[in-house]
Amino acid sequence: LKHAQAERAKREHGFDVELLAIRLQARLLPQVYVPIRLLAGEHAHYCTDATLCEEPLPASIQGNYRVKDQGLLILTSKRMIYIGRKRQLVLGYGHFMHISRLRGAIAVLSDTWSKREIFEVRFPLECTMYLDAILLHFRQQEQSMPGEKQQVRVRRLYPDKTVYPYHMPTTRLQSETTHQQSPGPYSGV
């Protein structure tokens, strides 16, 4: 039964979900080659072809995404990088608000972007599993930095139901750790 479930998951998602979950729980993040220069001490853990998309129209039942750009989505130890033909997006993990897995895509909400960005990828579950593991590792490293005072802030976000009426809300109450040396725009909240 277990073997049959693993085969079904492999057919459905395109990879061995259970094996990847075991590897990520053991914190075995691979280091992959990427065609860009990374920061000192930064390592790439995941790279995939990606299509930057616009929100699907509310009347679209199938959830077809309109293409804005095509390129690569790279997840490193410090940030998410999208390199497309027309644009580039770089987002440090400290600015992540929420990640959603959609049909055939992932959606990323940031405190620095005015709206969420949708990336159509071949294996959205695999991408979100890697991103969750990388974010967990990033948060643990951020909390264990010695000698730096940290301040906890709470930011309340109110979802606008008119922006994404056909998807589940992607915002929530979140506490976040920030450094006193670099107060953000919400440091007074």
Side-chain angles (χ1 to χ4, degrees), residues 6-176:
E7 285 299 316
R8 190 178 115 241
K10 191 172 186 178
R11 279 193 313 273
E12 182 180 341
H13 298 290
F15 66 98
D16 191 339
V17 177
E18 187 175 331
L19 181 61
L20 180 60
I22 291 168
R23 285 183 181 163
L24 294 176
Q25 286 175 355
R27 300 178 193 212
L28 298 174
L29 293 172
Q31 291 186 15
V32 298
Y33 169 79
V34 291
I36 62 168
R37 184 178 295 239
L38 299 175
L39 301 173
E42 183 178 28
H43 306 285
H45 297 298
Y46 186 79
C47 180
T48 187
D49 292 329
T51 303
L52 183 63
C53 301
E54 293 182 8
E55 288 285 338
L57 298 173
S60 172
I61 296 173
Q62 297 170 343
N64 293 334
Y65 305 106
R66 294 183 301 171
V67 175
K68 288 200 268 186
D69 196 8
Q70 294 180 337
L72 281 177
L73 182 66
I74 301 168
L75 305 177
T76 74
S77 55
K78 297 183 179 184
R79 57 199 172 142
M80 181 188 79
I81 304 167
Y82 171 78
I83 300 173
R85 295 176 183 161
K86 299 176 186 174
R87 64 177 72 180
Q88 296 180 5
L89 298 171
V90 179
L91 181 64
Y93 293 135
H95 295 284
F96 267 69
M97 300 287 294
H98 189 76
I99 302 140
S100 303
R101 184 170 53 98
L102 308 174
R103 182 179 299 147
I106 65 167
V108 177
L109 183 64
S110 162
D111 63 357
T112 60
W113 295 341
S114 61
K115 60 185 176 86
R116 69 183 186 170
E117 294 291 346
I118 297 177
F119 301 93
E120 196 170 29
V121 293
R122 184 171 179 197
F123 302 118
L125 178 61
E126 180 184 57
C127 188
T128 54
M129 287 174 73
Y130 270 98
L131 195 48
D132 284 342
I134 293 168
L135 284 170
L136 178 65
H137 185 38
F138 176 80
R139 299 280 188 228
Q140 288 172 346
Q141 280 185 333
E142 192 177 61
Q143 290 176 354
S144 66
M145 284 198 275
E148 292 189 30
K149 291 184 179 179
Q150 296 182 344
Q151 168 187 351
V152 175
R153 67 179 177 194
V154 175
R155 179 174 25 195
R156 190 173 297 275
L157 300 171
Y158 301 98
D160 183 0
K161 301 243 186 255
T162 61
V163 178
Y164 312 115
Y166 39 88
H167 289 294
M168 293 175 51
T170 57
T171 57
R172 65 179 189 269
L173 179 65
Q174 176 178 350
S175 68
E176 187 174 289

